[in-house]
Structure formats: C-alpha cells, structure tokens
Amino acid sequence: MNKLLTSILSLGFAASAALAANPAISAVKVTDDLTNVDGNSAVWAKAKYTTVNLYPQMAIEMNDKNANEANENNKAKAASVAALYDGKNIALSVKWLDKTKDVQAGYATTTYGDGFAIQFAGITKGAQPLPYIGMGSTGRPVVVHLQKANEKVYEPNGNGDVSTQLNRQQTGVFGKELAEYDAKVASLANKDYERVFVGEGFRSLTEIKDKSVKSNSSMSHDTKGWSGTLVRPLKDDYVNMSGTVPVAIAVWDGSKMGRNGVKNLSSWVAVNLEGQKPNAALVADLTTDAKGDAANGKVALETNGCNGCHQMSAADPKSFMAPSLKDVGGYSTASYLRESILKPSAVVVPGYNRNAHANTPWYNIEKGKRISTMTDFSHLDKKSVDDIVAYLQTLKAEVE
Amino acid sequence: MSKRQLAMVMDLNKCIGCQTCTVACKTQWTNRNGREYMYWNNVETYPGTGYPKNWMELGGGFDAAGDLQPGVIPNLEADYGVPWDYNYESLVTSSADHSHFQPHVSPTWGPNWDEDQGAGAFPQDNYFFYLPRICNHCTNPGCLSACPRDAIFKREEDGVVLVDLDRCQGYRYCIAGCPYKKIYFNPKISKSEKCILCFPRIEQGLPPACAQQCVGRIRFVGFLDDEESQVYKLVNKYKVAIGLRSDYGTQPNVYYVPPTESPAKFDAEGKIIEGSTRLPIEELEKLFGPAVHDSIKTLKAEMKKRKETGVSELMDILIAYQHADMFRLDNHYYQEVAKEHKRTPLAPVDTRYIAGKFTKAGGHH
Ligand code: SF4
Ligand code: SF4
C-alpha cells in the first residue's frame, strides 16, 4: 500500500482517477417475483455486475494475537455486485474471491465461519449525511443483514433460543423416545445463520428478533469463492428505498479468523433503481473523489500533527491513541472524512479496549456520549480541509 | 465499578484435589450442548500445565499502563481436550463377546492430564499442591474490556461478571482478554459462557455449588464490604488471602490463602534436611506476588499463637468448624435490589447462611 501511495504521490496524482470511489450500481427492474430468489435463480442473467472494492477495516486492533498476525498485511478484495428489484423487493448478489470454505465447526473453539453482510441506511429525515458505515450513528440508523456460513446446530426448538437447548446426557429419555427426539432435532437443526441487526452507533447493534424484517439470504461456495444473495423488501419499518439506495458490503474470511471488525468493507455504494429518478447529489457524493490536492493535503495533515495520533500507513508504528487511518480512504466517503475533521465527536469509534489508556484516552464519556479528545479543525481554511480529505481518500490498500 | 463485590476465598492448605467442586459445578451447569468441554471450576496440579494447557502463557490481562494485552484463544482439541465419552449403551445392548469398555475418541489431552505430577525428584524434593480455579469476577475484567459488543457486564449489585447471550456474537475476544482463560466459547451456539458464581443459588441463600460441596471446606463466600464476613477478615483484616496473578491487572475477586506447610527435603542418604522446605517460595511469588511473604508470616504467627495460647480468630476462621461460619450470604439484600428494580423478590430456599451485613439490619423473611 505504502509503495502504491508513494508512486502515486510522485506522479503528482496523475493516476488519481484509478483511486476513484466505487461506481454506482444499477438495480435492474424485473417483472419476476424476487421473493424466493437465491444464487442459482435464472433471473440473475438480467443483472449488471459492477466491481466494488472491499477494504480491510482494521481501524481498531483487537486483542486476538493470532488474528492480528493473520491479517497484518491484508489487501483489498474486489467483489462483483449486482442488484435487481421488482417493485416490492430488492435482491442483491455479491461474489468475492475466497478459496477456502470455512464454517464454524460444532466442536472447535478456534474456527470461524465465512460470511457477508449488506447494510442499508435506515429511515432518517434527510438522505445526507449518511449514517456512519458499519454501525450507524445517533439518529441515523443502519440495518445490517448478516449471513454466516454454518453447519447443523443441535437445537431443539429451531429458534436460536439458547435457553431451550438440552444436554444429551440430561434428556433422560431412552430408546424410542430418544430416537423421536433426535429426529425432531434433526428436522429443526438446519437453522440458518441469518441475522438482521439495527444499529445507531458503536455498541448499539441489536438483533431484530421480532421477524419484522422479512429477508432471505443465502451463500454458496465454489472453487473460486463465494456468492451471496439477499432479498429484502424495498420498504418496511426500517428502510424506505427509492431513487438511489446507499448500501455497504462487508465480507469475513474465516480462515483469517475474521469476525467483527476483522473484515473487508466497502464504502457506501450508490445503487440506482433503474427507471426511477436518481438522487444526483448522493450519487455524486458516493462516486466522485473529493476535490482537493492530495499532495498539499499530506503536507497540511503533517503540519497539523494528525499523524501524531493516527497511524497513516502500514509502515507507521501502530498508535493506540486514535483509530488507524491506513485504509480509511477505502471505506469512508469524503463527507464523512470532512465531518470527522470539523466535528470529531460526531462519530467516535470506541476504543479497542475501553479500560485502556487511562492517562491518554481518545475520548471521554460525558453524559453518556463519547466526546473525542481530538481537537476540531474547523479553524482550517476550506482549501486545506479539501486537500486533507483528498489525501485521506488516497489512504487505502491495494486491491488483491 | 459495582456497588458491592461478592468474593470467594480458597484456603490452599486444605485442598485435597478430590475434584468434588469440579463435579458439583459440572453437573449443575452442563445443561446445554456445547458446554461439555468446559470446566468453569477446575482443580489443577501446580506446578503443571494447567487447564487450558499453559493458560499462564496465553496472554490477556493488562500491562502496567493499564492497556489490554493481546491473547491467544485456546484450541478445543489441543488445549482443553476433547471430552470423551464411553460406549455405555453398546455395553448394555450388544452381545457381550465383542463389546468392551472404550472411549469414543482416543484421548490425547484433557484437564488434569498431569495430575499429581508436580516438580522435583522423588523422593528427595518432589512437590506439588492443588490449585482450584474459577472465574475471578474481576473488578477490572479483561473479558469485559475486550468485548466490542458490550455483551459482558458486571452486575451492579454484587460484581458478578456475566455474558448477555443476546448480545454475544461469538467473537471470542473475551477469551483472548481473560488472562485466566476462564471464559469459554460454546461452539454449538456460537456464544461465550462462563462461571456465574452460582448467582441464582446465592440470591436464594445457597452458596455456589463448588463451595457448598467442597469436602476440604476450603471455600469461604461473602461480600467484601461486610466486615463480619470471613472473606473480609481473610482479605482485608488479616491480609492472608491474596489474588492469583494480580500482576495481570484484572483485580481478581477470588482470593487464595497460600499453602504454608510442606515436608522437608531428603538428602542423598534419605535423611531429612532439617529446616528445608519443598515448596519453593519463588513459585508462590509467581502466583501470588510479593504479598505472599507477609501472608505466610501472619499465618505462621497465628498458628504459633493458637498453639501457645489456644486463641486465634484467624485460625478459627480457617478451621471452618461449620458451613454457617464459611458463608455469609445476604438474601435480604437481594430482595431489596429486586424491589428496587420492580422485580419479584425471591424467597430464600435455605436460611442457614443468611447472615449478611444488610440482613442484620433488615432481618430476613
Ligand atoms: S477471570 Fe477472566 S472471565 Fe472471569 S471476570 Fe476475570 S477476566 Fe473475566
Ligand atoms: S472440593 Fe474442595 S478440596 Fe476437593 S478439589 Fe475442590 S476445592 Fe479442593
């Protein structure tokens, strides 16, 4: 990444087009009913696939030693994404490279399942600013559909209700009864690991368990990688899609102990519902790079001491003073970067460990809100901010 | 920080390694698939590999600056050991000639794999002691700090550390963060589970299963702010009970009275070396820190005092004449907490040990 960055800087950003944000995706309108669509459905022949880059999201280093080692030099992954809609539902298809098929084994503590998630911006008053990627932000919720590759789980009631799970040695049933019991369990055991969450900021992500979101997702693996699909209504209590729909995509690699933030994540991507009027401002925000001079931005950033706390590239020593920015350009919109410079407390990533750094916290909690210890840079002139944002957008790993 | 802290003291001089506690816990709490391999309470031989294997080398906890340290998540097969089962059923049902007793996997590792092995050369200077371990319900829990989902919490009312299974998504950072490796991953439900200090029993007037069943009567249970409780006296008044590996910075709330007595060593002729002791103090220092010296000094002095004068409150506590002397529970307190939260207060199922600080004031029902 660093190498790529230096070569680009030395070219005076002639190649900055190559770093452009993700292109918009066209959701093709179909007459077929998409309710039961999965990866094998013929209807996908009508879809237009677009490449979306998914960047390693390692802003906060977690405390798993082995996972950190396995993910040290992660590159970005290119995913092929397509969308369809039928007036009632939207269907998304994501294909990404991952040679190994990993599932959480029922008798292992150190295996992790592959998985993917698709995120939508929840219902808010205005479309912009968008919620913070991944977790949403106060008043700007996100809805996250998560699908993990899984295997049979021994689960008597099939509802994921852990309190009713029984221990075999304690069932106290024998012979015929036990066989009947096993048969019932087997019929229920294929419980799919599909979850929907709503989030309004870090640590708020909560599973929607009342079945008020009717979605269906699935995954299938071949020699090259995964293909995942998700179908959900265009409108429900949580989202209301029309014109341009911002979505974000994340994938986890179980072979690298991926889970939580150990993942690859896209920035917000614009999905235009074909035949509807796109939200031009939103599309422009998500598909064009910040207007600014990245080389000047780098200088301005150093002058203002940003790199005193933030890690800027993989080559910099890790800093626990503030989130790492080494891939921030990959998964952040220019507006988000700008907001973070001007209003650092708008979104505060909770520490990798909330008890750490008693003397040098990166935020304080005041009245239940995280208040960043970063000073705001609203005193900077507009050009410097634009330049810094342009520079930050160049910070991202190479695509694998 | 919680309002009060429930704590346990274990007197290592009295642990006989019978594993009654282990079994009490295991049969009480293995009530769900995926928990088979977990020992929320285990008794290991020290020195030894422990459970899980080499837990003291797997990281976690905090450094001197208070920063959480990275850790390693133990492997079920290699570090905990697959919990093997036997073919009881086929012994009963199949014809006797080709059926024999056998485990369903060939065990290669398990808890207590090195039971009673210890260190040193037999018979000159070999030694070991038993170290029972449960979750320490730390004041600054590594598990809680490591969880990015806020799925682990420390109960306000008594400091018991619990996992909210609705929030837990099985990330397992807690396991990496706990330096004692006392939080476990249930692979069947993909969530973390741990010792709950038997809070449903405590709330109803019963001590934790491990403590009540302990035949060595090594375990004392009570609230640290209750000056009449044995844990308060052992931890704060006499300062003989100390946390295990306090250097991990988690501020554990399970305290140990260090082993003080060990036989003398033998010389080459098999004669006793007068004044020698088999248990190297460095080993105790490694487990309990420098405070172990003062603890042992106090214990020896009180032992002497008891011998000479017949009076020593500390010795009387440690002898633990009856269960009622060892557990000071506080059902009344929990009833008040329940009322405060508009929950239905639980009536005690056992009133023998209800004698806590707040019980006195309010009286129990
Ligand atoms: S012993 Fe481990 S699991 Fe128990 S509270 Fe402390 S850090 Fe958490
Ligand atoms: S029951 Fe008591 S004496 Fe027996 S191993 Fe457990 S702690 Fe030790």
Side-chain angles (χ1 to χ4, degrees), chain A residues 16-39:
Chain A
S16 69
L19 290 168
N22 290 310
I25 293 168
S26 284
V28 177
K29 171 111 200 234
V30 293
T31 47
D32 316 57
D33 178 4
L34 294 176
T35 316
N36 295 315
V37 137
D38 66 15

Side-chain angles (χ1 to χ4, degrees), chain B residues 10-12 14-24 41-43 130-133 209-211 213-219:
Chain B
M10 305 194 197
D11 180 357
L12 296 184
K14 289 156 70 186
C15 179
I16 56 169
C18 62
Q19 306 283 358
T20 308
C21 49
T22 310
V23 174
N41 178 101
N42 75 292
V43 184
Y130 297 111
L131 184 62
R133 299 201 306 119
C210 60
Q213 297 290 78
C214 174
V215 288
R217 297 164 90 102
I218 79 156
R219 300 181 184 225

Side-chain angles (χ1 to χ4, degrees), chain A residues 62-68 104-113 135 146 148 152-156 160 162-170 178 181 193 195 197 202-207 209 257 259-262 320 350-359, chain B residues 26-37 60 62 65-77 80 82-83 85 89 140-142 144-150 152 165-178 185 187-191:
Chain A
M62 303 308 288
N63 64 322
D64 182 329
K65 194 164 171 280
N66 292 341
N68 291 343
Q104 169 61 54
Y107 242 122
T109 50
T110 46
T111 59
Y112 299 83
M135 291 290 164
L146 167 67
K148 277 206 237 172
K152 278 192 178 188
V153 176
Y154 191 75
E155 189 186 36
V162 294
S163 65
T164 58
Q165 299 191 16
L166 299 176
N167 180 275
R168 226 185 138 66
Q169 271 76 42
Q170 294 184 2
L178 186 56
Y181 177 75
Y193 197 106
R195 305 264 155 101
F197 298 88
F202 284 95
R203 298 186 191 268
S204 68
L205 209 61
T206 303
E207 191 180 344
K209 285 185 149 187
M257 309 176 83
R259 78 275 200 196
N260 179 250
V262 185
F320 293 107
Y352 73 103
N353 151 26
R354 59 174 158 170
N355 287 351
H357 302 281
N359 304 321
Chain B
K26 197 91 193 87
T27 50
Q28 171 116 346
W29 293 116
T30 307
N31 54 1
R32 180 186 293 161
N33 293 295
R35 278 185 184 168
E36 295 82 354
Y37 85 90
F62 303 88
D67 291 346
L68 188 69
Q69 296 302 292
V72 171
I73 296 159
N75 180 281
L76 199 153
E77 214 169 302
Y80 296 105
V82 174
D85 206 344
E89 208 168 322
N140 180 30
L144 183 150
S145 262
C147 177
R149 260 190 76 79
D150 269 3
I152 300 182
L165 290 184
D166 269 342
R167 292 203 63 77
C168 175
Q169 286 292 318
Y171 297 152
R172 287 160 260 187
Y173 295 116
C174 51
I175 304 168
C178 170
F185 176 63
K188 293 279 162 82
I189 61 170
S190 205
K191 287 167 195 293

